[in-house]
Structures are given as structure tokens and as C-alpha cells.
Amino acid sequence: MRIDVFTLFPEWFDWLRRPRHLANAAELADLELRCFNYRDHTPLRQGQVDDAPYGGGPGMVIRVDVVAAAFEAVYGVPADRVRDERRVVVLTPRGRPFDDSLAREWAEEPAVTLLAGRYEGFDERVHDHLAGEAVSLGPFVLAGGEVAAMAMVDAVGRRLPGALGNRDSLEGESFSPTLAGRTEHPHYTRPAAFRGWEVPEVLRSGDHAAVEAWRRANLGPGPGEA
Ligand code: ADE
């Protein structure tokens, strides 16, 4: 799978190549993470990528001609055709909330492009003509889409074949269909008692059916229910 991120800060993504599950995904599932800087492709002078909003107001808006030039340089097709070939996603607090089912869906795709913006986001024509969807990491405003992109790459990458070892399974984890979208039960490990804080007796009983029943009864809340 290919994930391309367009950003003003491609070097921020270097650390994202290090976590084991993403290194595994890169090796075993052909995850290829590429990062492109709008500035490297801008047709404007002095690396300009943004401009003041029409109608006035604070902040700067990333220009549609800059995004189009970057697309054409990277993909070699007219910018408005890129979304015919791959999922093109604008990262913005205005978008559809990212969740586990979207991560699962993207993990099935051959290629996804994420557009991270700074400032006031993108000229609306990027949404209308170059992207296919808009997605938000959550109902808060980040300084830019980079951290949102990293979270999404992490969530998608760990679903690719071979990303996780046997010890960490996707089956039965939080938000999975097995748990009907709910979060996992609490976990405990040694010591059995610490400063008088005890691990529930049933988990130490060796009675697998009782442990299962306890876990089912102690599932966490679903999304937004906490
Ligand atoms: N850019 C700024 N805030 C964002 C958010 N909540 N989700 C995605 N991209 C963003």
C-alpha cells in the first residue's frame, strides 16, 4: 500500500518510520510512506504556497494552484484526475471524523493521499476539484494536519498484513466487530497486589470461562460514550 502525505514539514514524518509495526508493514506489506513538500513544486516565487483569504480575515490559505502543481509533478496526470486513481483526503476539522472503520477501509486501498495544511486550511477549490473526501482527527483544532496524518498512518499501518506480531492481534481489540464497536476490558499484570491495590480475584482463578464472562461484563464504552 502507498500512503503519500503532502505537507510543509515532510521531515516531521521521519520518526514515523521507526515504530516496529510500521517498519514491519513497510517490509512485509509493502507499505510505502512518501512525503512531499508543497514548496518543492510551487509555481510561485520564493517558495510561496499560501495567500490571504479573499474577503479579508486572519490567517493564510493554501493555494489551489500550488496543490495542483504538486499533484502534477508527483503523479504526472492532470491534478483533477488524481482522485480517480487513489483516495485523496484533505485533513481538516471540518471533515468526517476519523474512526476505526475508516482505518480499516483505507487499509484495503492500494493508495491513499493525505493533504496536510497549516494556517486556515485550503482554498475550497482543493476540496471541490482535487480531493475526494475531508477527514478530521477529532473535534479540536490542531496547528496543522501533520499530527492528524501521523495518527491516521499509524492506525492504518498497524492493520496491514504482518504489521503486528502474533502477540498483538487485531481480532477482538477495541472497536472491532467482535466487540460490537466497544472498547476492550481492563487489563492487569503482575504484581497481584501493589500497595493494597488488588487484581480482581477471578482473573487469577485459572477458570477460563469465568475470566471470559468477567471480560464480557467489563467491556469499555463505545466511541463517544466514555
Ligand atoms: N487540521 C487542523 N485541525 C485538524 C483536525 N482536527 N483534524 C484534521 N486536520 C486538522
Side-chain angles (χ1 to χ4, degrees), residues 129-200:
H129 302 288
L130 304 185
E133 59 200 300
V135 173
S136 166
L137 188 62
F140 41 77
V141 181
L142 299 166
E146 283 75 16
V147 170
M150 289 181 204
M152 294 172 195
V153 170
D154 184 294
V156 172
R158 65 187 291 285
R159 309 198 149 276
L160 298 176
L164 301 183
N166 291 337
R167 290 177 54 138
D168 316 293
S169 161
L170 297 170
E171 169 139 9
E173 74 169 6
S174 293
F175 308 117
S176 66
T178 316
L179 297 192
R182 294 182 54 187
T183 42
E184 283 186 46
H185 53 80
H187 298 80
Y188 294 89
T189 187
R190 283 186 280 264
F194 178 68
R195 298 185 181 171
W197 308 330
E198 302 262 344
V199 173

Side-chain angles (χ1 to χ4, degrees), residues 90-96 98 115-119 121-122 134-149 152:
V90 182
L91 303 176
T92 164
R94 283 170 48 196
R96 159 187 176 187
F98 186 73
L115 299 180
R118 300 254 108 196
Y119 323 115
F122 295 89
V135 173
S136 166
L137 188 62
F140 41 77
V141 181
L142 299 166
E146 283 75 16
V147 170
M152 294 172 195

Side-chain angles (χ1 to χ4, degrees), residues 21-144:
H21 65 284
L22 293 177
N24 288 348
E27 202 175 314
L28 300 171
D30 285 333
L31 170 64
E32 191 187 351
L33 174 65
R34 304 190 302 172
C35 298
F36 300 101
N37 194 331
Y38 301 108
R39 273 192 221 291
D40 292 341
H41 305 288
T42 177
L44 308 173
R45 271 180 298 162
Q46 292 168 339
Q48 186 189 350
V49 295
D50 57 355
D51 231 317
Y54 277 118
M60 297 292 272
V61 177
I62 297 196
R63 291 173 53 133
V64 62
D65 51 350
V66 167
V67 179
F71 271 20
E72 285 168 4
V74 169
Y75 298 119
V77 297
D80 58 351
R81 306 304 302 272
V82 174
R83 64 184 179 181
D84 299 341
E85 300 171 352
R86 45 170 52 236
R87 271 177 107 137
V88 178
V89 183
V90 182
L91 303 176
T92 164
R94 283 170 48 196
R96 159 187 176 187
F98 186 73
D99 62 11
D100 216 55
S101 68
L102 199 52
R104 245 177 278 134
E105 213 176 289
W106 289 0
E108 302 286 320
E109 297 280 341
V112 174
T113 292
L114 304 177
L115 299 180
R118 300 254 108 196
Y119 323 115
E120 294 301 304
F122 295 89
D123 185 293
E124 191 64 17
R125 290 166 289 183
V126 172
H127 295 256
D128 292 344
H129 302 288
L130 304 185
E133 59 200 300
V135 173
S136 166
L137 188 62
F140 41 77
V141 181
L142 299 166

Side-chain angles (χ1 to χ4, degrees), residues 194-216:
F194 178 68
R195 298 185 181 171
W197 308 330
E198 302 262 344
V199 173
E201 183 64 43
V202 56
L203 298 181
R204 293 182 282 146
S205 66
D207 179 341
H208 294 301
V211 168
E212 264 320 298
W214 184 90
R215 289 180 168 169
R216 266 197 310 279

